[in-house]
Structure formats: structure tokens, C-alpha cells
Amino acid sequence: MSLSPVEGVALAEIESGGDEGGAATKGVVGRSPGQLAWLRLRRDRTAVVSGVLLVFFLLLGLAAPLIEMVYGIGPREQFQNMLDGFGMPLGYAGGVSGEHWFGLEPGLGRDIFIRLIYGLRTSLFIAFAAALITATIGIVLGALAGYLGGWLDAVINWITDLTLAMPFLIIALALTPTITLRFYGERGQVSSAFGVGVLIAVFAIFGWTSTARLVRGQVIALREREFVEAARASGAGLGHMLFRQLLPNIWAPILVSFSLAVPQFITSEAALSFIGVGLSDETPSFGRMIYRSLDFLQTDPAYVFFPGITIFALVFAFNLFGDALRDALDPKSSR
Amino acid sequence: MRPRVAVAAGGAIALVVALGACSKNTGEGTTVDTERQQTGVIATDPKDSQGPAAEVSGAAKGGTFTIIRESPISHLDPQRTYSFAGLMANPLFARYLTTWKDDGKGGLVLVGDLAETPGKNVNNDCKVWEFTVKDGVKFEDGRPITSKEIAYGIARSFDPDLSGGPTYIQEWLADTAQFDTKWDFKKNKTSLPPGLSTPDAKTLRFEFAKPRCDLPFAVSLPTTAPLPADKDTGVDLDKQPFSSGPYKVAKNQVGVQITLDRNTNWDPKTDPVRHQYPDQFVWSFGPTADAANNRVIADNGADQSALAFNTVPASLVAKVAGDATLKSRSILSPTPSANQLVINNQRVTDLKVRQALNYAIDREGFIKAMGGQTVAAPLTTLMPPATIGYKAYDAYPAGANGNVDKAKELLGGKTPELVLGVADNSTEQQQGAQLKANLERAGFKITLRNISDDAKLDEIKKKNNPWDLYIGNWAADWPSGASILPVLYDGRTIKAEGNSNQAYFNDPAINTEMDRISALSAAEQGPEWAKLDERIMKEHAPVVPLFVDVAYNVHGSKAGGIFISSVFGYPSFVNAHVKP
Amino acid sequence: MARFLLKRLFSATLTLFAVSVLTFLMFFALPRDPVSSICSKNCNPERLERVRDDLGLNDPLISQYAGYMKGIVTGRDLGSAQGGRCDAPCLGWSYVTNEAVSDTIARVLPVTLSIVIPAAILWLLLGVGLGMVSALRRGTWLDRLAIGFSLTGASLQLYFVGAVLLLVFVYNLRLLPVPSYTSIFDNPAKWASGLVLAWVALAFLFSAIYARLSRAQMLETLSEDFVRTARAKGLAKPKVYGRHALRAAITPVVTIAGLDVGGALGGTVITETTFGIQGLGRTAVDAVRSGDLPTIMATVLIAAVFVVLANVLVDLLYAAIDPRVRLR
């Protein structure tokens, strides 16, 4: 288990297809590579199914407060009167009923369904935000290093190495309480948003390396191309070179790496909860739910089943979609 | 095709996980009786202190008894032992001046261990005490144990390098909390601390500046384990303690496993409590509480004669309690470890608010959140039922689920805003969530603040800690009110950090009363402490008593003789044996 | 070559130095007082203060750091409370576990090695094997099965798989003993049976990545000119695939494997926690929780050494495997 939240895999997979991003540009006349990819994606049944599933999950997360209104139960409400003397839910399959669709948590008796919905919201938000930020940092640093080269390249490379060498889980474990203390003093109510923010920040600090390496490699490959040299000769500024000339030609692998990074962050949030870092119990999140429920594998399997299957379906859908996206963007490897 | 794979994979997981989810839980058969009466006395008849200990019925010699525990024992060196695991392991290889004869059902008699009797109060003023060492007591190398080695053991506990153990005797002898500056062990290795003397090889004499009526109890702690000066290896004694008990450390793989073999120089005739049934004891560290319990429940091979030292986790309780075959393999017993919702009295100065908290508390719900009655039993008193002289009462009767209306009435429409500090471990997170919901129903406004798990205890021990409420725990070192109430509620002891009085409660009248009771003889103190307990709660409500821990341990089918120590609330090994 | 190696080693040393400084600083930002774990139930402020002095916690940060570094290089005297003289490489004394940190490391490092190395071999074999098969049998049911398997693995979490494996194989079927570590030199059979679940779980999850990666690589290499040329020249299929294609395809696999193994050697926190085995990872987590600076420093540094070494090694291997790469 790598200690870095995003393993360098996406990077290597995509790097291998290095020049293909550029190759596609030279492709069929009349259609932009984006249109082509979109067409291919729409024709891929897997992509459509997983895409629909992802949209469904996204909508569920977005509509959480709405669902709470219709469902009539909040994520923090406790139904302890529906638990037995050991704190286990009464009734069938962990207290599944018309009122509590997925049953109740042992101990506190909170409704699992509504907590899952809110957990989905939290986890998706964290994962998307972290993926966006890491992609941005990675693109900027990678492009600068790749394009300018020289000492800047060396420095950025070294920082990348350093970041990789710092054990992520350990640092996260040490930093999270410290940051909280700095911001809220010892008595303030820590808002859920803050906990989420800290997690995103931690991911951002450690997650950008693979994108940076990917972009750097791509930019180096493009640097000596004619069209780049032409633009340079005509006196284009740094900004223009990076954002107008280089990046439009490497967006495909970046997109793929982004789509594969999101599920990585979802599972990383869960992994952090597992060693006791992350959100407090008040904020419903996938990580905490899974972590808590695993203990009950033998005594309340339904409690493990519902969050377990949801997180699996979500991550699986992301992976399927990411795969399909790569196929669509890289015609050579498509089946 | 890929969606089909997804369905198949999902289905497989569903199958594994959903097995057994189809039976209905009706909540029947989930009541556990955890009531029991505690009696405790100091032996007056010297015969009580003589060996050998009565045979345990059904016990046979031989076999290896394994104890599985998640984390290693922090110290084996008796002078540095204070953790519960250490206190339970020590009697296997260390003997003390006095020890508890414990029937495992709350019946306790304090008897002489190395000493012939549990101490002689020479002038009946508790200032001078004498102990006479038994004949025939020996170290693992066959040397006789004399008062010199016991005194040396106590002397080395003054060494700041060897910190970690109890400090009662040191502080009483030096008459100051700064005992290690008053008498420097390293500079005076051949002499003895002030007030400690060995008039002859059989006699050990303590002289104190103030009455110390609890001394017979205090010397039942491992501080009084003997050690010959030439066997003192300093900090390394932790790896290889020098045995005076029925077993000796044969092999110690630090942090992994400790193997104890029989000590042939231990004479059962001198020992009133210990036995020497198994050939070997093995302490094995590493598996989580879950893993250890699952292992013992599975009852495979060597685990048949094993005990999971960690109690059954809340998540497994339903399985163990629901399985009739496990009934004979589990021990369930309340412990003397009392837990309170501690109110920071420096911050919450309004008595009505503290009383309202007491009325509002939903102990049943709180205990459910922890895993139910096999994990905790409700408590309404300051001292746990396992205290000598204990008397049950409820100063704020509100039923098992609390009385929200009564609390609101006391608050008179106000909504006090209180900050509840909780450790970020999963247990306290659950407790915190439950308390918040519970107290907010009664009109409080509760802010939960997480405190790093390992830091929590140190933080709430600081006088100026910023929280209004926190969950506190006290497990007394001996079952007397003297080791509970003055420690927790004597306001004169409050200092900048390292406080046991975490409620920061200080009332001059109560302080005076404590002084009065402390000067009584140990036998007279019991009922007086019980009265004071009730008075503090009625007049001041400095905390909300919550629960006592319940010990719920499972052992293998061949492990026998395990009982929960009435003093410490953890499994005791003096009667342990392996069934053939 | 030598110049490249020198340059890499210099940069690696610099990285390790930065890691040590950062870790040291971070620890002191922790809202945690390590001293109180020494002093038990009956502590008083004066005593705490003296312990702090004894441990040098009141010294300026720089001199504490210098002391630590000096210990690693030349060894130092830690005082009687900390086991006295500590020989180089002295990693300090843990006042939480009461032993020399080098002893702790010597105990837990073999555990992590025993988990990671066999697991890595397993996941590489499984992953690359699956990837090759599905690339060569592209589009068949075998390909789909392999991809489905790998995607499932990539979407599952170790603690989940671990918990289910434990429940099924250990507690219910009782086919395997409860995971534990025995030295391979003491009892190889026990060593393997105690760790096999961890290997399997790790291999299942990790092989997914390698299967996808090597499949993609293989497909691409197969379409490259030199392979086509080799085929056209009439070389036998197995020879072409085995010698030429595999060789080129394996390069990125080596990169990732190097980084993964390097990272994993620094501690497989989740694996160790799930299976209840005390390795480097769990030791590090425990150390952070209890504010045990010497142990944190040691575990973080060792983890960093592995990552950095893996990086250098990968670069070297790169050159060895793929003749197209020349070291700059």
C-alpha cells in the first residue's frame, strides 16, 4: 500500500500513450479530437452505463438536504429506543424497515440511509475538490518545469521527490489536530466545513506529484515540436506558450488522470478514517462509516453491507468510466 | 460486459456479508446481571496470611497458559509497574509486603504476602509501622528474601530514572511530593530513604511524619517487591525482572512475547494466594482486541488454553452473549473502575446547572452507545460499588433515561452553552454524540471538541483546561474511599498540571471532613467515606456519575481459574490453570 | 554512469536531510506533551519540568536536532534514564516503549519486509501475467475476465477485503491461523501461514493496477514497428513476444513497482492494522499518537530511505532493461 494518495499509475499508463494525444490532432479531417472522443465514448456501452451511474450518485449527493426533507429523518437523529440491551438494532437485517430503509447504526441508532446520502455528499465533494486542486498544482508546476527546464526543473523535481518521500498517512495523522488547534483555539465549535477543508488541504499537499510528473513529461515531448518553436519564434509570452500552445495538446491524459484520481481520493478519505485521522463523528462520511461498520461484520452484517456496497459501486463506476475515457481519447488502445 | 462484472462482484460481496443477516433480533435474552456486593477487610488472624493457598477445584498441573493482548505491558520492573496489565502480570513473578486474597466475587481480605501479617501499627497512631518477613521466602536463585531486599526495592523507586510506578510510599516517607529531591537514590545507594529502616533481617520499619493509616493497602502495590542490590540492572530490569514469585521470565522478546517458566525456588507453603499450575505462562502481544477475541472464540489449538486480555469489543458482544456454548467460556464482572461526566467546577459554577446535568443524564442510552450492559453498568455514586463500606444512593433520581423536564425546570428557561471535550477515539466519539443529543434535549447547548486521544488525559489534568465537560475515569489503587474521594475531590491538591481532581472542585468544609476521616483507623473509615460520598453529590454535584466498566472476557475451552480481580477489575492469574 | 549515480545520490541525501528537518519541526508543532506519558497517575508540575530537562526537551530546537543527528553518525550518551551509551547509528530512546529505538526498528522492520516482498512478487506475477494474457487474447472472454478482475481489485479497499478474508478463512472455515509474524528463520511454514492472507489481500488489490498497465503497454508495444519487423523477419511468436515485446512493455511496470515497493516498505499501515501485525507502519502510527519523537523520526526516515532508494534503483533498472534509455 503506497503511502501517497495517488499512486503513480495513472501517470505511467498515460505517459505510455505519450505522443498519442498529439497524434490524434493529426487524425481525421473535419472533426476535432474532442468530438471524436465524445463520439467514441457515446458508443461505448460501459462508458454510458458507468457515466449514468456516476451522474446518479452526484445527484444523490447534491440533493441530500432535499432527500432528508422527503425521507423525514436527519443524519444526526438517534433512535436508541429501537436498539436492544447490547445496542444492536432490533428487527431484521440491522433494523431495516419501511421507516429506516437501510436500518440503524448499532450503539447510537442513527439512520444508515440518510447518513449514507450525506456521506456520499461529503466524500464526493472532498474527492472532486482535492482532484481539482491537485490537478491545478500539478499542471502549473509540471508545465513550468517541463517548459522552462534548467534549475527550475531541478528544483521542482526535487520537491516532487521530497513530497513522495514524506510518508503521507503519518504526516496527515500528525498535522490534522495541529491545524485544527491553530484555527479554532480549544473551545470553538469546529465546523464540518473546516474538517473537510483540512482533509482537502492534506490531499492537495501530497497528491499533486503524479500530475506534475505526467505534465512535465508531456510538455518535454512537445517542447521541440515545430508549432511550439514557431510560436516561440513569433515572440509569444510564457503564459501564452503554456496555456495556448502546450496545454490544449495534453488535456486528454490530464482528464484521464483526473478521472482516476477522484476515486483514489474517495478511498483515501476512508483509509485515513481507518487510522483515526479525518472527519469527526458529527460529519457523516464514507470513511468513518466503513471504518466503524467493519467491526460489526459478524454481528450486524447489514451495517457493513450498505456502506460497503455503495462505496464499491461508486469507485467501480469511476474506474470503469476512467478506463472508457482513456480508450475513447486514445484510439490506439480501444478495442 | 463490464457492468456484468460489476454485478457479479457486487453480488459476491453481498452474499458474504449478508449471510446471517436474515434472523430477527427481538431483543430477548440480552439482560446481564452485573450486581454484586463488595466486602473488604484487613486480616487480623495471622493464619490468613499463611500458605499454601487453597487448591482450586478441578485444577491440574501442566500446560501452557497464553494471554493475548493488543499492546505490550509498559513495564515489567515491579517498581515501575502501574498499568493494569502490569499489575496483573506482576504477581506471577513478584511478591509484595501484603496482597489481596480475592474470591473473585467481591470478597477481599488483605493478607501478608512476604510479611507475616498485613502490618503492625506500632503506636496505633498510623505513624510507625512494622512488617515481619516470613521464613522460607526465596528469590529465583535460591537466596532468602530479607527485609534488606524489600527496603532496597522501595529505595530504588526513588530514582527518577525508574519512574512510572505508584508514588504513595515515597511521598509519605519523604513527606513531600518532591520525594526524589529530598532523597537522592543514586548518591545514597547503600543507605535507605528517610523513615525506612531494617532493624534486623526480618523486620522492616516505616516511620512517617503524618498518620498514614492506608499503609497496609499501599504496600500491596508492586513498589514493595524485593530486589537484591547486585541484581539491579536499572532500566534494563524491565526486560528481565528478578523473580520472587511462582514464575520467572524465561524469555522476553520485547513487544512480542514474554515466556514465564516455573520458579522452583518459590515455596507454596509461604504464599497465601498464588498457585503454580501451568508449566508456562505466555504473554503474546500484537493482535487487536477484535482479533484476540475472535481467536479465542474460535478455540483452535494453543488458543484453547488462552485468554483474551482485552475485553470483548462492543461489536462482538451480541455474538458472544448470544452463543450458549460461549457462556461457560466467558467471565462477566463489574469492575471498580468508575467513570464520570466530569464537570469543570471552575467554569460551571452554578450548582443548578450541575444538578440539571445530573437529572438530564440518560444512562441507559449512554451505555447502549458503548455496547450495552456487558461493557458498562450504570452508577449514581462517586465511589464504585466495589469500595469498602459502599452505600448505594441516587441523589438526583430521574430514572434510567433521565428526566428532561426536571432538568429544564432547574435551568429555568436558560440554555447554558457548554463545551464537551472528547478524545478522538471511536468510543468517546460515540459517547460524545450520544451525550450531545441527550443534553440538548434537556435544554443545554453542547459543543463537541475533539482532543487527541493520547493527549486527552494530560490535557484535562491541566488546571486551566478550556473545556466545561469531559469524561473522566478513576480506578483506585485499593478499594478504600481514602484512595478515591481525597484524591479526586480535595481542592487543596489542585496544582497547575497533573491533577487527579479533574473537576477542580474545592470546598473547605468537605476538605476538613476528609482530614477527619483520614485519621480514623482503616476499619472505621469505610462507612464514613460512603456518607461523605452522598454529601458531596447532594450538596455540590461536582460530576455526573455515569458507569462502572464491566469486564467481559472470553477464554479457551481448556483455560480455567480465571476471575476478575475485585481490586483492579482485570483478569487475575493466581488461580489460572490449563485443563487436561 | 558514475556521474549520474553521484548526482542522484547527492539529491537523495539532500531529500533525506529535508525529510528529517521537516519531521522534527512538525513534531514540535504537535499539541502534545511527550513527558506526561512518563509520569503516571500522581504527577506534579515540578517533576514534569525536571523530566523535560532530563530529556533535553527544554533545549533549543537546533541543539536537539544536532544531538539527534550526531547520535546517528557517531552515537551518543543518552543518560541513565535512557539506557546510557547509545552506539551509532543511535536512533535515540523511546520514553513511551522504554527501549532503544534501534531495537524497536530491528524488531518491526523484518515484519514489514516479510509482508511486502512476497506480496510484491505475488502481485507482479499475477498482475503482469493477467495483463499479458489479456493483451495477447485481446477481445476474448479471457481478456474480459482479466480486466473485470483487475477493476474489481482496484475498486476494493484493503481493510474491507482483509476483514472479509479474516472472517471467512480464519474465524469461520478455520483454514488458516490468525495472522501473526514468526521469523522465517525460526519456522518458515509458520511464517508463511501467518502472513499469507496479507499477501493475498495486497496482491489482489495491487495486481489490478499492474494488469491494466501491462496490458496497455503490451498492446502498444505489439503495434510498434520493431515488433512488426521482427514478426515480418519470420521470428517465432513466443520469441518475439517473450524477448522483444515483453522487454519494452515491462519498463513502466518496473517504474511503478519500484515506487510501490519503496512506499510499501516504509510501512503498510492499513495492512498491518487490518491483520493485527505490528510492523513499521503501525509502529509509526502508534508513535505519532503518543508523541514519541525518536520513534517517529526513525520510522519516517526509514520510510524515506526506502522511497528514495527505490527511485534511484528504478532509474538504474530503466537503463538496464530498455536500451533506448541512456542515463543523463
Side-chain angles (χ1 to χ4, degrees), chain B residues 195-406:
Chain B
L196 187 66
S197 57
T198 53
D200 57 62
K202 285 274 160 224
T203 313
L204 190 68
R205 187 178 165 95
F206 294 86
E207 285 167 67
F208 301 116
K210 297 200 184 79
R212 301 294 179 185
C213 296
D214 267 7
L215 185 73
F217 297 127
V219 296
S220 72
L221 292 168
T223 317
T224 58
L227 183 71
D230 58 328
K231 291 289 177 186
D232 187 358
T233 50
V235 289
D236 285 333
L237 199 74
D238 254 342
K239 295 187 185 116
Q240 189 73 38
F242 194 63
S243 171
S244 53
Y247 291 86
K248 58 185 178 190
V249 175
K251 191 175 175 205
N252 183 2
Q253 297 164 269
V254 179
V256 180
Q257 189 164 301
I258 302 167
T259 310
L260 296 150
D261 283 350
R262 283 210 182 109
N263 171 13
T264 46
N265 282 306
W266 170 81
D267 182 356
K269 287 198 286 297
T270 64
D271 200 319
V273 294
R274 296 173 188 79
H275 295 95
Q276 202 183 37
Y277 292 129
D279 293 333
Q280 251 185 2
F281 274 94
V282 172
W283 283 80
S284 172
F285 310 111
T288 58
D290 256 72
N293 278 281
N294 273 315
R295 221 171 117 170
V296 171
I297 291 168
D299 203 29
N300 259 347
D303 291 344
Q304 286 182 332
S305 59
L307 168 90
F309 194 85
N310 298 88
T311 55
V312 179
S315 54
L316 284 177
V317 161
K319 179 186 163 110
V320 179
D323 187 341
T325 58
L326 285 175
K327 184 118 187 141
S328 62
R329 295 213 271 127
S330 55
I331 347 164
L332 182 64
S333 164
T335 74
S337 162
N339 297 265
Q340 301 88 20
L341 176 61
V342 180
I343 308 170
N344 187 336
N345 284 244
Q346 292 179 125
R347 294 182 161 275
V348 187
T349 48
D350 186 348
L351 175 62
K352 282 217 171 74
V353 173
R354 299 200 299 265
Q355 288 175 328
L357 284 167
N358 269 285
Y359 276 117
I361 200 79
D362 171 6
R363 290 192 180 83
E364 191 182 271
F366 188 85
I367 288 172
K368 266 187 192 175
M370 296 169 61
Q373 43 214 327
T374 57
V375 179
L379 177 72
T380 57
T381 55
L382 295 174
M383 304 193 296
T387 316
I388 298 171
Y390 174 78
K391 188 169 145 274
Y393 70 90
D394 186 353
Y396 304 96
N401 297 101
N403 188 337
V404 171
D405 298 325
K406 186 86 187 160

Side-chain angles (χ1 to χ4, degrees), chain A residues 16, chain C residues 214 217-218 220-222 224 226-227 240-254 318 321-324:
Chain A
S16 66
Chain C
S214 51
Q217 279 302 313
M218 195 67 188
E220 194 184 314
T221 325
L222 287 181
E224 280 202 24
F226 74 92
V227 176
V240 179
Y241 294 155
R243 183 170 299 168
H244 297 274
L246 179 61
R247 200 164 215 227
I250 208 97
T251 322
V253 173
V254 166
Y318 227 84
I321 294 176
D322 193 338
R324 288 177 298 182

Side-chain angles (χ1 to χ4, degrees), chain A residues 83-85 88-91, chain B residues 24-31:
Chain A
L83 307 176
D84 70 10
M88 304 301 287
L90 293 165
Chain B
K24 183 173 182 180
N25 180 3
T26 56
E28 273 167 36
T30 49
T31 9

Side-chain angles (χ1 to χ4, degrees), chain A residues 131-152:
Chain A
L132 269 177
I133 296 176
T134 52
T136 312
I137 301 177
I139 289 170
V140 171
L141 289 182
L144 283 175
Y147 182 69
L148 294 177
W151 66 269
L152 188 71

